[in-house]
Amino acid sequence: MNERAANKAFDTWIVICLTLSVLACLIPFVHILAVSFSGTVPIASGKVTLFPMDFNIEAYKKVFGDAAMIRSLAFTIFLTVLFTALCMVMTVAAGYALSKKDLKGRKIFMFIIVVTMFFSGGIIPEYILTRELHLLNTIWALVLPGLISPFYMIILISFLAGIPDALKESAEIDGSSQFGTLIRIILPLSMPVLATLSLFYAVGRWNGFQDTLMYITKPELYPLQLKLYHMIQNSQVTDMMRMEGNAISTVVPESLKAATVVFATVPILLVYPWLQRYFVSGVMTGAVKG
């Protein structure tokens, strides 16, 4: 096999692998979307695959008809924006300082930070600490514990280390302070990695569930994921009552689950197109050495 034929075969293999990967990600979501728009009988009989059967929007009426759901959506958007902004401020501040090779104690700081990636105190000490700080049932219980991700900070440090020192020295010679160099020189050059890390922080906070289940009991502070969890739990109780003849429901739990998954997924999906121009170069940070 000559080189041209080998390259063509390799390209074909890559296309096949990428196509299978896309289908593996896309088909489950299409199925969930089809279930959310299907009637109770096809869902109960397991006939729904990739297309809705007995088109029905009762599940969405139930989701959008709950005023508390809209309130949880607004609160989750505010929480995600606040969390992402504070995380980026902390990550940039720490990452920029640790990217400077002349920082005293830099290796010790990095060692301490890396240790936290492999060892943690555990859920119970974390809960006790949060309780003792009187953060339970406050928005800060969902913000403060995760302000810096060591992994994301190391990615940022790797990116900043690739910016030529001569550029920073030129700014300092022109009279720029450290803060001015960071704002006017470093951050504009770091937009790809900043956008990518912001997306990672935002998606992580948007999908966060465990901490909300532990720290939040006030309904007015329910993020979207926790609100959906309680809605599904209530729908299962209603379904059991319906089976016993005590209640009548036109929405099966599977349909409601699917509708809530779509309701929780679509808003964060809308963020991707705005960050697409930075995302590819951002995720490649650190992949090429030299």
Side-chain angles (χ1 to χ4, degrees), residues 26 28 53 58 141 158 177 182 188 208 241 245 275 282:
L26 192 59
M53 299 182 67
E58 290 299 322
S158 176
S177 63
L182 173 65
M241 295 175 63
L275 299 177

Side-chain angles (χ1 to χ4, degrees), residues 115-129:
V115 166
T116 64
M117 295 176 63
F118 301 99
F119 304 98
S120 65
I123 295 176
I124 295 177
E126 186 178 334
Y127 176 82
I128 295 175
L129 176 62

